[in-house]
Amino acid sequence: MRVVIQRVKEASVSIENVVKSDINNGLLIFVGIESSDNDEDINWLAYKICQLRIFADDQGVMNKSLIDVNGQLLIISQFTLHARTKKGNRPSYISAAIPEIAIPLYNKFVCKLKELSGTEPGTGEFGANMQISLVNDGPVTITIDSKRKE
């Protein structure tokens, strides 16, 4: 699994000009799923996200986690995170899981983040054309890949 995490003051996802989910003060998470991903990837990544100390403490130092600040979550599926651009100008998405594999893993990921964070995550709609609005706080943007636990 590959994620792009953005610390946000606010974020929302709209589908056909209707807001499906919105959050304040938290994390906007774009998640790309590969066919080789499994429960181990979900558990490791969800725990890592909830424990990341990327929110400011009283001294303005990034020393608090999502849980510490009672932050909110907005989780958006994004197969394009697995784009391969080595050849030509048209990205290949061969590494991205097909919907029959990706949807159940995405749903498990959302549930695991809900369990660990104690908050109800907002979501988009798998496979839909979504418009994302956000105010990045910092800016703070972090990428994590569960296959590269560095």
Side-chain angles (χ1 to χ4, degrees):
M1 295 180 86
R2 186 172 294 160
V3 296
V4 173
I5 302 164
Q6 296 189 311
R7 188 180 74 186
V8 296
K9 292 273 188 193
E10 60 187 56
S12 66
V13 56
S14 297
I15 302 167
E16 296 182 10
N17 295 318
V18 176
V19 174
K20 181 172 187 313
S21 299
D22 62 338
I23 65 167
N24 293 302
N25 189 43
L27 299 176
L28 170 60
I29 302 169
F30 295 103
V31 57
I33 298 170
E34 293 181 285
S35 55
S36 63
D37 290 332
N38 57 40
D39 287 350
E40 183 181 326
D41 296 287
I42 290 168
N43 293 334
W44 181 83
L45 200 49
Y47 180 81
K48 179 66 89 174
I49 289 168
C50 288
Q51 298 302 317
L52 276 176
R53 294 181 355 191
I54 58 174
F55 291 89
D57 63 15
D58 294 338
Q59 286 74 42
V61 177
M62 287 195 287
N63 205 22
K64 291 190 172 193
S65 71
L66 177 79
I67 295 168
D68 295 333
V69 299
N70 296 315
Q72 296 180 303
L73 293 165
L74 179 57
I75 307 165
I76 306 296
S77 64
Q78 189 171 353
F79 74 94
T80 60
L81 291 179
H82 289 291
R84 291 186 182 176
T85 58
K86 186 175 181 180
K87 292 183 181 179
N89 294 318
R90 173 182 255 163
S92 168
Y93 304 105
I94 196 81
S95 296
I98 61 173
E100 291 79 15
I101 294 171
I103 292 171
L105 290 173
Y106 171 78
N107 290 334
K108 280 184 170 182
F109 183 60
V110 170
C111 288
K112 190 65 174 181
L113 282 168
K114 176 182 177 179
E115 173 191 326
L116 293 174
S117 69
T119 186
E120 183 70 42
T123 62
E125 184 177 309
F126 197 94
N129 182 6
M130 298 176 274
Q131 290 70 51
I132 312 299
S133 298
L134 69 130
V135 175
N136 194 315
D137 183 18
V140 174
T141 302
I142 296 172
T143 60
I144 303 175
D145 191 319
S146 65
K147 303 296 190 234
R148 297 182 177 170
K149 297 177 179 136
E150 303 167 344

